[in-house]
Amino acid sequence: MSDLDQLLNQRGREARFGAYVTAVLFDATGSPGFALGDGTLRLGPTHQTITVHDGAAMSLAAHPAGGFVTGGDDGRLMLTQPDGTARELVKFGSKWVEHVAAFAGKGPLLAAAAGKNLYVLNPAGEVLRTLVHPSTVTGIAFDTKGKRVATSHYNGASLWFTASGSAAPPKLEWKGSHTGVALHPAGEALVTTMQENALHGWTLPEGKHMRMSGYPTKPESIGFTKSGRWLATAGAESIVLWPFFGGGPMGKPPTELGMGDGIVKRIACHPQHEVVAAGFDTGLVLVADVARERVLPVCGPGRGTVSALAWSADGAQLAFGTEDGFAAIVDFSGS
C-alpha cells in the first residue's frame, strides 16, 4: 500500500469532501473544480465551497472563458465564475441536466442535455439551437473544431452540425441502449458505450458498423488518445485499448495495460501524449504509457470507487475523486 501511495504522498494534495464526487475538470485558467452529489462545486486549490444546485450537481464542463458550467437534478444550468460567484444560465423545468459539454476553440459553444433535447448555447448561456431526439440524450461530444456535436440515445447516435440549419443528422442506428459517446479526433469514427457489456461504433462518413465486446462489466468511460490511434476504455480489469490504425479495430485484438485487482471505472487520456490514466472500483489510480507499455501507480486502493478523473490542459496535473468523497490532485510536472 505504501508503495502504491508513494506518488500521491510525494506529489499529491488530498481532500475529503464527504459527498460523492460526480465529476472533476480543470477550467481555462488551470484551476480545478470538483462537482459533488450534495449540489456543491469545490473550486480552486483551496476547494472553496460553492452551492450551485438544490440537489446533486450531475454534470460539469469547463466554461471557455474560465470557471465552470454545471447541470443539476434541479433542472438548472449554472455558471460558476473563477471568483466563486454563481448564476443561473437556463432553467429547463423539471428535466434533469445530466450532461453538459463545452467547446473552447474559435467560436466557443456550450451544450446541455435535458430529457430528449440537446441545447446548443453561446458562452453567455443563450440557446442557439434546440435539437430534438427520439429518446433521452445520454451523452454529448463536440468534435475538435466545434462544427459538429455527437449525442448518444436509445437505438443509436446522432451527429449534428452546430451551426443553424434544419438538416436532419445522419442516422447512426443500432438497437439497444447507448449510454455515452466519443468522437475520433480526426472525425473518422464515432463510438458509443452500451448498456450491455460492449461498445458500438460507426466509421465516418461511411457509417460502417464496429462492434467491440468481451467486457466483464459495462464500459462506463471511454476516450481517444491524443493521436486518435487508440480508444481507451473502462469496463475490465485493465485499460482496454482498441487500435484505430492498420485497419482496426475490427479484426484486431485490443491491448490491455495496467492490470488491477478490481474493475476500471474511469479513464482519462493525456492531452499531449499517448498516456492514459485509469481509476478502479477499488480506489486504485494508475497511469499507463501506451507506447512503452509502462504503468505507474498514482494512488492505492481503499478510498472508494473512482467516480471522476481528469488531466489539466497542459497534462501536468491529474485530478480524481471517489464515491466516498475522497479527492486528490497529483502534480506530474518535472517528473
Side-chain angles (χ1 to χ4, degrees):
M1 178 71 73
S2 60
D3 291 339
L4 294 178
D5 282 342
Q6 184 176 357
L7 197 57
L8 175 66
N9 293 334
Q10 291 179 350
R11 293 175 172 264
R13 293 182 285 114
E14 302 179 22
R16 296 184 181 274
F17 296 140
Y20 191 119
V21 180
T22 57
V24 63
L25 284 174
F26 293 84
D27 77 354
T29 69
S31 180
F34 292 86
L36 303 185
D38 63 3
T40 64
L41 183 65
R42 305 302 174 95
L43 196 65
T46 61
H47 306 306
Q48 178 187 6
T49 301
I50 312 295
T51 299
V52 288
H53 293 284
D54 182 15
M58 304 184 73
S59 51
L60 178 70
H63 191 278
F68 296 94
V69 175
T70 55
D73 60 8
D74 55 2
R76 302 164 77 202
L77 183 70
M78 298 290 294
L79 169 63
T80 302
Q81 305 280 6
D83 64 2
T85 58
R87 65 181 179 90
E88 180 181 292
L89 293 179
V90 186
K91 180 73 166 71
F92 296 110
S94 60
K95 299 290 187 181
W96 291 5
V97 187
E98 294 187 75
H99 305 280
V100 295
F103 171 70
K106 184 179 179 181
L109 293 167
L110 304 174
K116 296 180 181 180
N117 292 341
L118 178 75
Y119 300 90
V120 180
L121 310 96
N122 65 19
E126 298 170 330
V127 176
L128 305 176
R129 296 191 69 190
T130 300
L131 306 175
V132 182
H133 293 73
S135 57
T136 299
V137 176
T138 57
I140 313 170
F142 281 106
D143 70 8
T144 55
K145 296 182 179 179
K147 293 185 177 181
R148 296 187 297 180
V149 61
T151 54
S152 55
H153 45 79
Y154 195 76
N155 285 343
S158 298
L159 187 58
W160 304 82
F161 283 102
T162 54
S164 60
S166 58
K171 290 185 177 181
L172 302 172
E173 296 179 329
W174 186 260
K175 288 186 177 181
S177 180
H178 299 255
T179 57
V181 64
L183 273 173
H184 188 276
E188 297 174 358
L190 182 153
V191 180
T192 62
T193 54
M194 300 287 292
Q195 185 66 30
E196 57 195 272
N197 301 348
L199 307 175
H200 195 82
W202 297 262
T203 61
L204 298 175
E206 301 89 354
K208 181 180 178 181
H209 291 279
M210 297 178 284
R211 181 74 169 166
M212 290 154 277
S213 57
Y215 292 88
T217 64
K218 291 185 294 184
E220 299 175 14
S221 179
I222 62 174
F224 283 97
T225 59
K226 174 66 174 178
S227 69
R229 286 175 60 84
W230 300 95
L231 177 70
T233 73
E237 296 88 351
S238 57
I239 306 167
V240 177
L241 296 140
W242 294 94
F244 273 69
F245 58 91
M250 300 313 295
K252 303 284 185 179
T255 294
E256 297 188 39
L257 293 176
M259 180 70 71
D261 290 335
I263 297 292
V264 177
K265 300 294 286 185
R266 297 288 182 271
I267 63 95
C269 294
H270 195 279
Q272 298 178 5
H273 304 294
E274 298 294 90
V275 170
V276 180
F280 288 72
D281 59 0
T282 61
L284 173 69
V285 177
L286 52 80
V287 172
D289 184 319
V290 180
R292 298 179 183 179
E293 297 190 357
R294 293 176 57 185
V295 176
L296 178 68
V298 176
C299 173
R303 298 171 177 89
T305 297
V306 175
S307 52
L309 186 67
W311 292 98
S312 59
D314 61 3
Q317 298 182 84
L318 178 67
F320 58 92
T322 75
E323 293 181 0
D324 292 353
F326 176 82
I329 301 171
V330 178
D331 187 354
F332 283 84
S333 61
S335 60

